[in-house]
Amino acid sequence: MKEVEEGLKFAKGEVSQNNKLSYYLEAARNQVIQDLMKENKWSKEEAELHLFGDGYHIYTALDTKVQTEVDKQFVDNASKWYKIVKVTRTKENGEKYTEEVQRQGSMAVIDNSTGYVVAGAGGLGEKTEANGINRMELKGHSPGSCMKPIGVIAPSLEEGLINAGTTVDDIPRTFGKYAPNNWYSGYRGFMNIREMLASSTNIPEVVLLQQLSVPKALSYLDKMGVDVSREDDVGLSLALGGMTNGITAVELAAAYGTIANGGVYRTPKYYSKVTDASGNVILEAKQEETRVLSEQNAWIMQELLSVPIYNGETGGGNARISGQEVRGKTGTTNSNSSAWFCGFTGHYSASVWLGFDSEADGNRGGNADSTRCAILWQAVMAPAHSGKDKKGWNKPSGITTAAICKVSGKLATEECKHDPEGNKVYSEYFVTGTVPKDHCTTHVKVEVCKKTNLLATENCKEKEEKVFITRPNAETDTKWKSAADAKYMVPTKVCEECKKIEPDKPDGNNTNTNTNGINNLKPANNTTNTNTNKPTGNTNTNKPNGSGNTTNTTKPTGNTTTSGNKKP
């Protein structure tokens, strides 16, 4: 730990000469004040009086190398990340006026090995006033999809409600009056956890949260250090980041740090100790450690969070760092009013936020998306890792693998290899004892007519066996028809077209066989008449008249006499 001299001046209420450090030092000072109040049962005024008047020294956890990279982006290159937009305001008297507002940002970086906050920024540009807005610890912004891993998936794993291979049907759903939509158009049908994270789906996560329950999700967030004391009225929108009071950059970084740290949450601290003018230690940072996830479930979450980085479709790939393993998730709130990227390596956990202080301003346009947050995260973290060894996560004991079906999440069968979209069998990680026991019944093989692709009958001449998918209660609950995989559902109708085809008629050579006039409109005289005489000027055609007699009709053209009902 280091004593930062600029921080001593700032602790006395002066604006530091090094304004780049001001946000971090202000956060450290405020944390010391809170801890002095708690430790000594002082009021805020008493704590500040001792801190400013007694010559206390604060030993911070600042990592100057990492902070330098934060400053390069948030101060030196601030204009690259912010944008000025014009918004229309209304005064109390109804008068309209236009105001320019700047997109802002924040970042918090935590050392995984200690749990200490080692760098950060509370705004874009230099801090020019003491006690201003410090967005490192400012609530008011929802985390968007960054909530899904920490508030839905990880708690559901720990509660044994899901495993890494669990699938959810992405179809239209309503939950009372709440009808969530996906960010993409349409619905994709069956998706497993990896696919849900890769696509950042919305509806499947709400399904999982309903199963978990909102109170249970809040209890896990609380154990990860997220202040949920005023979130009692939040509903299922929590799965998508919907919060009444929002989250801070430090809280979000520490929550992801819980996963990075093998499932153990550490209270994020900015300082190690505080001494008086004589060097006596008058306050030491106390970090609480809480086991939130088992070591095995934490490792599985680490594996799952590789998907948005290396196989995702929402911009997380922009956070990759050469020579390091990166895990993380993007997050965007409604109308792009706020955007986030939260990620970790073996060394650090960090969060980045871009948005407007008033989310309503973000709704008017000009806001960044989460892809840009991932780019900013990488711009800081890549050079911060320069010279560091590649540090990953060792697989703990108690982890096993099994070949399962991507569609059903159950043990794979031969049919799963022949899904209409291709082979759906893959190997997934499980905590020992949680491997599915049942085999996939979602895939079925049936015989269909090649011509109609409907269930074949004995009348269908060309048949083939094909694999389809099924859904429970498919006939009564037809919401699945909106899903992209609806075209692969097993047919329920039998081929009728082939039934209508009549048997081929016998080939004739001017020969008619009359068999009592049944079904063939032939004379019922049991006589076979064959006439091969070919007169040169006329044609005699013998046609039945319904009484067994023959009527001869002479035509002046043609040289053939035909008896019976075969057409010329």
mmCIF file with all atom_site columns, all heavy atoms in Angstrom, residues 427-451:
data_model
loop_
_atom_site.group_PDB
_atom_site.id
_atom_site.type_symbol
_atom_site.label_atom_id
_atom_site.label_alt_id
_atom_site.label_comp_id
_atom_site.label_asym_id
_atom_site.label_entity_id
_atom_site.label_seq_id
_atom_site.pdbx_PDB_ins_code
_atom_site.Cartn_x
_atom_site.Cartn_y
_atom_site.Cartn_z
_atom_site.occupancy
_atom_site.B_iso_or_equiv
_atom_site.pdbx_formal_charge
_atom_site.auth_seq_id
_atom_site.auth_comp_id
_atom_site.auth_asym_id
_atom_site.auth_atom_id
_atom_site.pdbx_PDB_model_num
ATOM 1   N N   . SER A 1 427 ? -20.508 -31.117 -25.103 1.00 0.00 ? 427 SER A N   1
ATOM 2   C CA  . SER A 1 427 ? -20.056 -31.481 -23.757 1.00 0.00 ? 427 SER A CA  1
ATOM 3   C C   . SER A 1 427 ? -20.147 -30.266 -22.850 1.00 0.00 ? 427 SER A C   1
ATOM 4   O O   . SER A 1 427 ? -19.651 -29.184 -23.179 1.00 0.00 ? 427 SER A O   1
ATOM 5   C CB  . SER A 1 427 ? -18.612 -31.984 -23.810 1.00 0.00 ? 427 SER A CB  1
ATOM 6   O OG  . SER A 1 427 ? -18.157 -32.354 -22.531 1.00 0.00 ? 427 SER A OG  1
ATOM 7   N N   . GLU A 1 428 ? -20.794 -30.431 -21.706 1.00 0.00 ? 428 GLU A N   1
ATOM 8   C CA  . GLU A 1 428 ? -20.990 -29.327 -20.767 1.00 0.00 ? 428 GLU A CA  1
ATOM 9   C C   . GLU A 1 428 ? -20.410 -29.699 -19.407 1.00 0.00 ? 428 GLU A C   1
ATOM 10  O O   . GLU A 1 428 ? -20.296 -30.865 -19.054 1.00 0.00 ? 428 GLU A O   1
ATOM 11  C CB  . GLU A 1 428 ? -22.479 -28.997 -20.648 1.00 0.00 ? 428 GLU A CB  1
ATOM 12  C CG  . GLU A 1 428 ? -22.806 -27.789 -19.793 1.00 0.00 ? 428 GLU A CG  1
ATOM 13  C CD  . GLU A 1 428 ? -22.129 -26.532 -20.270 1.00 0.00 ? 428 GLU A CD  1
ATOM 14  O OE1 . GLU A 1 428 ? -20.970 -26.288 -19.818 1.00 0.00 ? 428 GLU A OE1 1
ATOM 15  O OE2 . GLU A 1 428 ? -22.718 -25.807 -21.092 1.00 0.00 ? 428 GLU A OE2 1
ATOM 16  N N   . TYR A 1 429 ? -20.057 -28.640 -18.640 1.00 0.00 ? 429 TYR A N   1
ATOM 17  C CA  . TYR A 1 429 ? -19.541 -28.827 -17.285 1.00 0.00 ? 429 TYR A CA  1
ATOM 18  C C   . TYR A 1 429 ? -20.694 -28.865 -16.276 1.00 0.00 ? 429 TYR A C   1
ATOM 19  O O   . TYR A 1 429 ? -21.670 -28.119 -16.409 1.00 0.00 ? 429 TYR A O   1
ATOM 20  C CB  . TYR A 1 429 ? -18.599 -27.690 -16.907 1.00 0.00 ? 429 TYR A CB  1
ATOM 21  C CG  . TYR A 1 429 ? -17.321 -27.655 -17.710 1.00 0.00 ? 429 TYR A CG  1
ATOM 22  C CD1 . TYR A 1 429 ? -17.136 -26.707 -18.701 1.00 0.00 ? 429 TYR A CD1 1
ATOM 23  C CD2 . TYR A 1 429 ? -16.300 -28.569 -17.465 1.00 0.00 ? 429 TYR A CD2 1
ATOM 24  C CE1 . TYR A 1 429 ? -15.958 -26.664 -19.440 1.00 0.00 ? 429 TYR A CE1 1
ATOM 25  C CE2 . TYR A 1 429 ? -15.122 -28.532 -18.196 1.00 0.00 ? 429 TYR A CE2 1
ATOM 26  C CZ  . TYR A 1 429 ? -14.956 -27.583 -19.188 1.00 0.00 ? 429 TYR A CZ  1
ATOM 27  O OH  . TYR A 1 429 ? -13.790 -27.552 -19.902 1.00 0.00 ? 429 TYR A OH  1
ATOM 28  N N   . PHE A 1 430 ? -20.526 -29.715 -15.270 1.00 0.00 ? 430 PHE A N   1
ATOM 29  C CA  . PHE A 1 430 ? -21.511 -29.819 -14.207 1.00 0.00 ? 430 PHE A CA  1
ATOM 30  C C   . PHE A 1 430 ? -20.802 -29.990 -12.871 1.00 0.00 ? 430 PHE A C   1
ATOM 31  O O   . PHE A 1 430 ? -19.710 -30.571 -12.802 1.00 0.00 ? 430 PHE A O   1
ATOM 32  C CB  . PHE A 1 430 ? -22.428 -31.031 -14.413 1.00 0.00 ? 430 PHE A CB  1
ATOM 33  C CG  . PHE A 1 430 ? -23.255 -30.974 -15.652 1.00 0.00 ? 430 PHE A CG  1
ATOM 34  C CD1 . PHE A 1 430 ? -22.782 -31.508 -16.846 1.00 0.00 ? 430 PHE A CD1 1
ATOM 35  C CD2 . PHE A 1 430 ? -24.506 -30.386 -15.634 1.00 0.00 ? 430 PHE A CD2 1
ATOM 36  C CE1 . PHE A 1 430 ? -23.543 -31.450 -18.000 1.00 0.00 ? 430 PHE A CE1 1
ATOM 37  C CE2 . PHE A 1 430 ? -25.279 -30.323 -16.780 1.00 0.00 ? 430 PHE A CE2 1
ATOM 38  C CZ  . PHE A 1 430 ? -24.796 -30.856 -17.965 1.00 0.00 ? 430 PHE A CZ  1
ATOM 39  N N   . VAL A 1 431 ? -21.444 -29.478 -11.831 1.00 0.00 ? 431 VAL A N   1
ATOM 40  C CA  . VAL A 1 431 ? -21.002 -29.831 -10.488 1.00 0.00 ? 431 VAL A CA  1
ATOM 41  C C   . VAL A 1 431 ? -21.332 -31.309 -10.300 1.00 0.00 ? 431 VAL A C   1
ATOM 42  O O   . VAL A 1 431 ? -22.424 -31.761 -10.663 1.00 0.00 ? 431 VAL A O   1
ATOM 43  C CB  . VAL A 1 431 ? -21.719 -28.981 -9.419  1.00 0.00 ? 431 VAL A CB  1
ATOM 44  C CG1 . VAL A 1 431 ? -21.318 -29.426 -8.012  1.00 0.00 ? 431 VAL A CG1 1
ATOM 45  C CG2 . VAL A 1 431 ? -21.413 -27.501 -9.617  1.00 0.00 ? 431 VAL A CG2 1
ATOM 46  N N   . THR A 1 432 ? -20.385 -32.058 -9.782  1.00 0.00 ? 432 THR A N   1
ATOM 47  C CA  . THR A 1 432 ? -20.595 -33.491 -9.598  1.00 0.00 ? 432 THR A CA  1
ATOM 48  C C   . THR A 1 432 ? -21.900 -33.754 -8.841  1.00 0.00 ? 432 THR A C   1
ATOM 49  O O   . THR A 1 432 ? -22.156 -33.143 -7.809  1.00 0.00 ? 432 THR A O   1
ATOM 50  C CB  . THR A 1 432 ? -19.423 -34.115 -8.830  1.00 0.00 ? 432 THR A CB  1
ATOM 51  O OG1 . THR A 1 432 ? -18.215 -33.871 -9.562  1.00 0.00 ? 432 THR A OG1 1
ATOM 52  C CG2 . THR A 1 432 ? -19.611 -35.604 -8.657  1.00 0.00 ? 432 THR A CG2 1
ATOM 53  N N   . GLY A 1 433 ? -22.711 -34.637 -9.397  1.00 0.00 ? 433 GLY A N   1
ATOM 54  C CA  . GLY A 1 433 ? -23.997 -34.951 -8.784  1.00 0.00 ? 433 GLY A CA  1
ATOM 55  C C   . GLY A 1 433 ? -25.170 -34.221 -9.400  1.00 0.00 ? 433 GLY A C   1
ATOM 56  O O   . GLY A 1 433 ? -26.321 -34.494 -9.049  1.00 0.00 ? 433 GLY A O   1
ATOM 57  N N   . THR A 1 434 ? -24.891 -33.269 -10.316 1.00 0.00 ? 434 THR A N   1
ATOM 58  C CA  . THR A 1 434 ? -25.979 -32.497 -10.932 1.00 0.00 ? 434 THR A CA  1
ATOM 59  C C   . THR A 1 434 ? -26.157 -32.810 -12.408 1.00 0.00 ? 434 THR A C   1
ATOM 60  O O   . THR A 1 434 ? -26.932 -32.142 -13.088 1.00 0.00 ? 434 THR A O   1
ATOM 61  C CB  . THR A 1 434 ? -25.741 -30.988 -10.759 1.00 0.00 ? 434 THR A CB  1
ATOM 62  O OG1 . THR A 1 434 ? -24.577 -30.597 -11.512 1.00 0.00 ? 434 THR A OG1 1
ATOM 63  C CG2 . THR A 1 434 ? -25.557 -30.618 -9.305  1.00 0.00 ? 434 THR A CG2 1
ATOM 64  N N   . VAL A 1 435 ? -25.442 -33.820 -12.916 1.00 0.00 ? 435 VAL A N   1
ATOM 65  C CA  . VAL A 1 435 ? -25.616 -34.213 -14.322 1.00 0.00 ? 435 VAL A CA  1
ATOM 66  C C   . VAL A 1 435 ? -27.045 -34.699 -14.526 1.00 0.00 ? 435 VAL A C   1
ATOM 67  O O   . VAL A 1 435 ? -27.579 -35.443 -13.693 1.00 0.00 ? 435 VAL A O   1
ATOM 68  C CB  . VAL A 1 435 ? -24.623 -35.326 -14.701 1.00 0.00 ? 435 VAL A CB  1
ATOM 69  C CG1 . VAL A 1 435 ? -24.882 -35.834 -16.113 1.00 0.00 ? 435 VAL A CG1 1
ATOM 70  C CG2 . VAL A 1 435 ? -23.194 -34.829 -14.566 1.00 0.00 ? 435 VAL A CG2 1
ATOM 71  N N   . PRO A 1 436 ? -27.706 -34.279 -15.611 1.00 0.00 ? 436 PRO A N   1
ATOM 72  C CA  . PRO A 1 436 ? -29.081 -34.748 -15.853 1.00 0.00 ? 436 PRO A CA  1
ATOM 73  C C   . PRO A 1 436 ? -29.140 -36.275 -15.886 1.00 0.00 ? 436 PRO A C   1
ATOM 74  O O   . PRO A 1 436 ? -28.219 -36.934 -16.364 1.00 0.00 ? 436 PRO A O   1
ATOM 75  C CB  . PRO A 1 436 ? -29.416 -34.153 -17.225 1.00 0.00 ? 436 PRO A CB  1
ATOM 76  C CG  . PRO A 1 436 ? -28.493 -32.990 -17.379 1.00 0.00 ? 436 PRO A CG  1
ATOM 77  C CD  . PRO A 1 436 ? -27.246 -33.348 -16.651 1.00 0.00 ? 436 PRO A CD  1
ATOM 78  N N   . LYS A 1 437 ? -30.218 -36.817 -15.381 1.00 0.00 ? 437 LYS A N   1
ATOM 79  C CA  . LYS A 1 437 ? -30.395 -38.274 -15.350 1.00 0.00 ? 437 LYS A CA  1
ATOM 80  C C   . LYS A 1 437 ? -31.255 -38.758 -16.512 1.00 0.00 ? 437 LYS A C   1
ATOM 81  O O   . LYS A 1 437 ? -31.196 -39.930 -16.893 1.00 0.00 ? 437 LYS A O   1
ATOM 82  C CB  . LYS A 1 437 ? -31.031 -38.699 -14.019 1.00 0.00 ? 437 LYS A CB  1
ATOM 83  C CG  . LYS A 1 437 ? -30.124 -38.459 -12.812 1.00 0.00 ? 437 LYS A CG  1
ATOM 84  C CD  . LYS A 1 437 ? -30.809 -38.885 -11.520 1.00 0.00 ? 437 LYS A CD  1
ATOM 85  C CE  . LYS A 1 437 ? -29.856 -38.790 -10.324 1.00 0.00 ? 437 LYS A CE  1
ATOM 86  N NZ  . LYS A 1 437 ? -29.318 -37.430 -10.134 1.00 0.00 ? 437 LYS A NZ  1
ATOM 87  N N   . ASP A 1 438 ? -32.080 -37.900 -17.056 1.00 0.00 ? 438 ASP A N   1
ATOM 88  C CA  . ASP A 1 438 ? -32.984 -38.291 -18.128 1.00 0.00 ? 438 ASP A CA  1
ATOM 89  C C   . ASP A 1 438 ? -32.369 -38.006 -19.495 1.00 0.00 ? 438 ASP A C   1
ATOM 90  O O   . ASP A 1 438 ? -31.565 -37.083 -19.651 1.00 0.00 ? 438 ASP A O   1
ATOM 91  C CB  . ASP A 1 438 ? -34.309 -37.533 -18.010 1.00 0.00 ? 438 ASP A CB  1
ATOM 92  C CG  . ASP A 1 438 ? -35.031 -37.847 -16.718 1.00 0.00 ? 438 ASP A CG  1
ATOM 93  O OD1 . ASP A 1 438 ? -34.918 -38.997 -16.253 1.00 0.00 ? 438 ASP A OD1 1
ATOM 94  O OD2 . ASP A 1 438 ? -35.686 -36.940 -16.168 1.00 0.00 ? 438 ASP A OD2 1
ATOM 95  N N   . HIS A 1 439 ? -32.792 -38.805 -20.467 1.00 0.00 ? 439 HIS A N   1
ATOM 96  C CA  . HIS A 1 439 ? -32.350 -38.593 -21.839 1.00 0.00 ? 439 HIS A CA  1
ATOM 97  C C   . HIS A 1 439 ? -33.341 -37.686 -22.577 1.00 0.00 ? 439 HIS A C   1
ATOM 98  O O   . HIS A 1 439 ? -34.501 -37.567 -22.195 1.00 0.00 ? 439 HIS A O   1
ATOM 99  C CB  . HIS A 1 439 ? -32.232 -39.931 -22.581 1.00 0.00 ? 439 HIS A CB  1
ATOM 100 C CG  . HIS A 1 439 ? -31.020 -40.710 -22.202 1.00 0.00 ? 439 HIS A CG  1
ATOM 101 N ND1 . HIS A 1 439 ? -30.960 -41.468 -21.051 1.00 0.00 ? 439 HIS A ND1 1
ATOM 102 C CD2 . HIS A 1 439 ? -29.808 -40.841 -22.804 1.00 0.00 ? 439 HIS A CD2 1
ATOM 103 C CE1 . HIS A 1 439 ? -29.766 -42.044 -20.966 1.00 0.00 ? 439 HIS A CE1 1
ATOM 104 N NE2 . HIS A 1 439 ? -29.051 -41.677 -22.009 1.00 0.00 ? 439 HIS A NE2 1
ATOM 105 N N   . CYS A 1 440 ? -32.832 -37.071 -23.605 1.00 0.00 ? 440 CYS A N   1
ATOM 106 C CA  . CYS A 1 440 ? -33.639 -36.126 -24.383 1.00 0.00 ? 440 CYS A CA  1
ATOM 107 C C   . CYS A 1 440 ? -34.847 -36.812 -24.999 1.00 0.00 ? 440 CYS A C   1
ATOM 108 O O   . CYS A 1 440 ? -34.736 -37.863 -25.628 1.00 0.00 ? 440 CYS A O   1
ATOM 109 C CB  . CYS A 1 440 ? -32.778 -35.515 -25.493 1.00 0.00 ? 440 CYS A CB  1
ATOM 110 S SG  . CYS A 1 440 ? -33.701 -34.475 -26.640 1.00 0.00 ? 440 CYS A SG  1
ATOM 111 N N   . THR A 1 441 ? -36.001 -36.215 -24.786 1.00 0.00 ? 441 THR A N   1
ATOM 112 C CA  . THR A 1 441 ? -37.227 -36.660 -25.460 1.00 0.00 ? 441 THR A CA  1
ATOM 113 C C   . THR A 1 441 ? -37.784 -35.561 -26.351 1.00 0.00 ? 441 THR A C   1
ATOM 114 O O   . THR A 1 441 ? -38.840 -35.725 -26.960 1.00 0.00 ? 441 THR A O   1
ATOM 115 C CB  . THR A 1 441 ? -38.294 -37.073 -24.421 1.00 0.00 ? 441 THR A CB  1
ATOM 116 O OG1 . THR A 1 441 ? -38.539 -35.960 -23.528 1.00 0.00 ? 441 THR A OG1 1
ATOM 117 C CG2 . THR A 1 441 ? -37.850 -38.282 -23.623 1.00 0.00 ? 441 THR A CG2 1
ATOM 118 N N   . THR A 1 442 ? -37.060 -34.455 -26.414 1.00 0.00 ? 442 THR A N   1
ATOM 119 C CA  . THR A 1 442 ? -37.493 -33.339 -27.267 1.00 0.00 ? 442 THR A CA  1
ATOM 120 C C   . THR A 1 442 ? -37.294 -33.679 -28.728 1.00 0.00 ? 442 THR A C   1
ATOM 121 O O   . THR A 1 442 ? -38.093 -33.308 -29.586 1.00 0.00 ? 442 THR A O   1
ATOM 122 C CB  . THR A 1 442 ? -36.720 -32.061 -26.901 1.00 0.00 ? 442 THR A CB  1
ATOM 123 O OG1 . THR A 1 442 ? -36.995 -31.719 -25.545 1.00 0.00 ? 442 THR A OG1 1
ATOM 124 C CG2 . THR A 1 442 ? -37.111 -30.898 -27.793 1.00 0.00 ? 442 THR A CG2 1
ATOM 125 N N   . HIS A 1 443 ? -36.219 -34.406 -29.034 1.00 0.00 ? 443 HIS A N   1
ATOM 126 C CA  . HIS A 1 443 ? -35.996 -34.845 -30.404 1.00 0.00 ? 443 HIS A CA  1
ATOM 127 C C   . HIS A 1 443 ? -36.694 -36.185 -30.638 1.00 0.00 ? 443 HIS A C   1
ATOM 128 O O   . HIS A 1 443 ? -36.553 -37.111 -29.827 1.00 0.00 ? 443 HIS A O   1
ATOM 129 C CB  . HIS A 1 443 ? -34.501 -35.006 -30.679 1.00 0.00 ? 443 HIS A CB  1
ATOM 130 C CG  . HIS A 1 443 ? -33.785 -33.708 -30.857 1.00 0.00 ? 443 HIS A CG  1
ATOM 131 N ND1 . HIS A 1 443 ? -32.941 -33.177 -29.909 1.00 0.00 ? 443 HIS A ND1 1
ATOM 132 C CD2 . HIS A 1 443 ? -33.807 -32.817 -31.882 1.00 0.00 ? 443 HIS A CD2 1
ATOM 133 C CE1 . HIS A 1 443 ? -32.456 -32.031 -30.336 1.00 0.00 ? 443 HIS A CE1 1
ATOM 134 N NE2 . HIS A 1 443 ? -32.966 -31.789 -31.518 1.00 0.00 ? 443 HIS A NE2 1
ATOM 135 N N   . VAL A 1 444 ? -37.433 -36.270 -31.720 1.00 0.00 ? 444 VAL A N   1
ATOM 136 C CA  . VAL A 1 444 ? -38.110 -37.518 -32.085 1.00 0.00 ? 444 VAL A CA  1
ATOM 137 C C   . VAL A 1 444 ? -37.889 -37.786 -33.568 1.00 0.00 ? 444 VAL A C   1
ATOM 138 O O   . VAL A 1 444 ? -37.720 -36.864 -34.368 1.00 0.00 ? 444 VAL A O   1
ATOM 139 C CB  . VAL A 1 444 ? -39.626 -37.448 -31.790 1.00 0.00 ? 444 VAL A CB  1
ATOM 140 C CG1 . VAL A 1 444 ? -39.892 -37.331 -30.306 1.00 0.00 ? 444 VAL A CG1 1
ATOM 141 C CG2 . VAL A 1 444 ? -40.280 -36.295 -32.557 1.00 0.00 ? 444 VAL A CG2 1
ATOM 142 N N   . LYS A 1 445 ? -37.883 -39.066 -33.911 1.00 0.00 ? 445 LYS A N   1
ATOM 143 C CA  . LYS A 1 445 ? -37.735 -39.468 -35.314 1.00 0.00 ? 445 LYS A CA  1
ATOM 144 C C   . LYS A 1 445 ? -39.062 -40.052 -35.791 1.00 0.00 ? 445 LYS A C   1
ATOM 145 O O   . LYS A 1 445 ? -39.617 -40.943 -35.149 1.00 0.00 ? 445 LYS A O   1
ATOM 146 C CB  . LYS A 1 445 ? -36.626 -40.499 -35.463 1.00 0.00 ? 445 LYS A CB  1
ATOM 147 C CG  . LYS A 1 445 ? -36.375 -40.920 -36.920 1.00 0.00 ? 445 LYS A CG  1
ATOM 148 C CD  . LYS A 1 445 ? -35.379 -42.070 -36.994 1.00 0.00 ? 445 LYS A CD  1
ATOM 149 C CE  . LYS A 1 445 ? -33.989 -41.587 -36.647 1.00 0.00 ? 445 LYS A CE  1
ATOM 150 N NZ  . LYS A 1 445 ? -32.988 -42.679 -36.832 1.00 0.00 ? 445 LYS A NZ  1
ATOM 151 N N   . VAL A 1 446 ? -39.584 -39.522 -36.889 1.00 0.00 ? 446 VAL A N   1
ATOM 152 C CA  . VAL A 1 446 ? -40.844 -40.013 -37.444 1.00 0.00 ? 446 VAL A CA  1
ATOM 153 C C   . VAL A 1 446 ? -40.691 -40.202 -38.947 1.00 0.00 ? 446 VAL A C   1
ATOM 154 O O   . VAL A 1 446 ? -39.804 -39.637 -39.585 1.00 0.00 ? 446 VAL A O   1
ATOM 155 C CB  . VAL A 1 446 ? -42.019 -39.049 -37.159 1.00 0.00 ? 446 VAL A CB  1
ATOM 156 C CG1 . VAL A 1 446 ? -42.264 -38.909 -35.673 1.00 0.00 ? 446 VAL A CG1 1
ATOM 157 C CG2 . VAL A 1 446 ? -41.766 -37.695 -37.798 1.00 0.00 ? 446 VAL A CG2 1
ATOM 158 N N   . GLU A 1 447 ? -41.584 -41.009 -39.518 1.00 0.00 ? 447 GLU A N   1
ATOM 159 C CA  . GLU A 1 447 ? -41.602 -41.245 -40.964 1.00 0.00 ? 447 GLU A CA  1
ATOM 160 C C   . GLU A 1 447 ? -42.547 -40.250 -41.616 1.00 0.00 ? 447 GLU A C   1
ATOM 161 O O   . GLU A 1 447 ? -43.708 -40.131 -41.215 1.00 0.00 ? 447 GLU A O   1
ATOM 162 C CB  . GLU A 1 447 ? -42.043 -42.680 -41.267 1.00 0.00 ? 447 GLU A CB  1
ATOM 163 C CG  . GLU A 1 447 ? -41.867 -43.073 -42.723 1.00 0.00 ? 447 GLU A CG  1
ATOM 164 C CD  . GLU A 1 447 ? -42.242 -44.522 -42.962 1.00 0.00 ? 447 GLU A CD  1
ATOM 165 O OE1 . GLU A 1 447 ? -43.425 -44.868 -42.676 1.00 0.00 ? 447 GLU A OE1 1
ATOM 166 O OE2 . GLU A 1 447 ? -41.388 -45.309 -43.417 1.00 0.00 ? 447 GLU A OE2 1
ATOM 167 N N   . VAL A 1 448 ? -42.047 -39.540 -42.607 1.00 0.00 ? 448 VAL A N   1
ATOM 168 C CA  . VAL A 1 448 ? -42.856 -38.525 -43.284 1.00 0.00 ? 448 VAL A CA  1
ATOM 169 C C   . VAL A 1 448 ? -42.851 -38.784 -44.779 1.00 0.00 ? 448 VAL A C   1
ATOM 170 O O   . VAL A 1 448 ? -41.976 -39.474 -45.317 1.00 0.00 ? 448 VAL A O   1
ATOM 171 C CB  . VAL A 1 448 ? -42.334 -37.098 -43.008 1.00 0.00 ? 448 VAL A CB  1
ATOM 172 C CG1 . VAL A 1 448 ? -42.435 -36.762 -41.541 1.00 0.00 ? 448 VAL A CG1 1
ATOM 173 C CG2 . VAL A 1 448 ? -40.906 -36.934 -43.503 1.00 0.00 ? 448 VAL A CG2 1
ATOM 174 N N   . CYS A 1 449 ? -43.843 -38.213 -45.404 1.00 0.00 ? 449 CYS A N   1
ATOM 175 C CA  . CYS A 1 449 ? -43.930 -38.260 -46.866 1.00 0.00 ? 449 CYS A CA  1
ATOM 176 C C   . CYS A 1 449 ? -42.934 -37.258 -47.440 1.00 0.00 ? 449 CYS A C   1
ATOM 177 O O   . CYS A 1 449 ? -42.903 -36.096 -47.026 1.00 0.00 ? 449 CYS A O   1
ATOM 178 C CB  . CYS A 1 449 ? -45.354 -37.923 -47.303 1.00 0.00 ? 449 CYS A CB  1
ATOM 179 S SG  . CYS A 1 449 ? -45.556 -37.752 -49.092 1.00 0.00 ? 449 CYS A SG  1
ATOM 180 N N   . LYS A 1 450 ? -42.143 -37.695 -48.375 1.00 0.00 ? 450 LYS A N   1
ATOM 181 C CA  . LYS A 1 450 ? -41.148 -36.800 -48.964 1.00 0.00 ? 450 LYS A CA  1
ATOM 182 C C   . LYS A 1 450 ? -41.801 -35.633 -49.709 1.00 0.00 ? 450 LYS A C   1
ATOM 183 O O   . LYS A 1 450 ? -41.249 -34.543 -49.777 1.00 0.00 ? 450 LYS A O   1
ATOM 184 C CB  . LYS A 1 450 ? -40.253 -37.575 -49.931 1.00 0.00 ? 450 LYS A CB  1
ATOM 185 C CG  . LYS A 1 450 ? -39.120 -38.324 -49.268 1.00 0.00 ? 450 LYS A CG  1
ATOM 186 C CD  . LYS A 1 450 ? -38.158 -38.864 -50.331 1.00 0.00 ? 450 LYS A CD  1
ATOM 187 C CE  . LYS A 1 450 ? -36.934 -39.489 -49.680 1.00 0.00 ? 450 LYS A CE  1
ATOM 188 N NZ  . LYS A 1 450 ? -35.965 -39.970 -50.699 1.00 0.00 ? 450 LYS A NZ  1
ATOM 189 N N   . LYS A 1 451 ? -42.981 -35.894 -50.232 1.00 0.00 ? 451 LYS A N   1
ATOM 190 C CA  . LYS A 1 451 ? -43.642 -34.880 -51.045 1.00 0.00 ? 451 LYS A CA  1
ATOM 191 C C   . LYS A 1 451 ? -44.247 -33.774 -50.190 1.00 0.00 ? 451 LYS A C   1
ATOM 192 O O   . LYS A 1 451 ? -44.129 -32.590 -50.493 1.00 0.00 ? 451 LYS A O   1
ATOM 193 C CB  . LYS A 1 451 ? -44.720 -35.533 -51.904 1.00 0.00 ? 451 LYS A CB  1
ATOM 194 C CG  . LYS A 1 451 ? -45.413 -34.575 -52.858 1.00 0.00 ? 451 LYS A CG  1
ATOM 195 C CD  . LYS A 1 451 ? -46.419 -35.322 -53.734 1.00 0.00 ? 451 LYS A CD  1
ATOM 196 C CE  . LYS A 1 451 ? -47.089 -34.370 -54.716 1.00 0.00 ? 451 LYS A CE  1
ATOM 197 N NZ  . LYS A 1 451 ? -48.077 -35.081 -55.582 1.00 0.00 ? 451 LYS A NZ  1
#
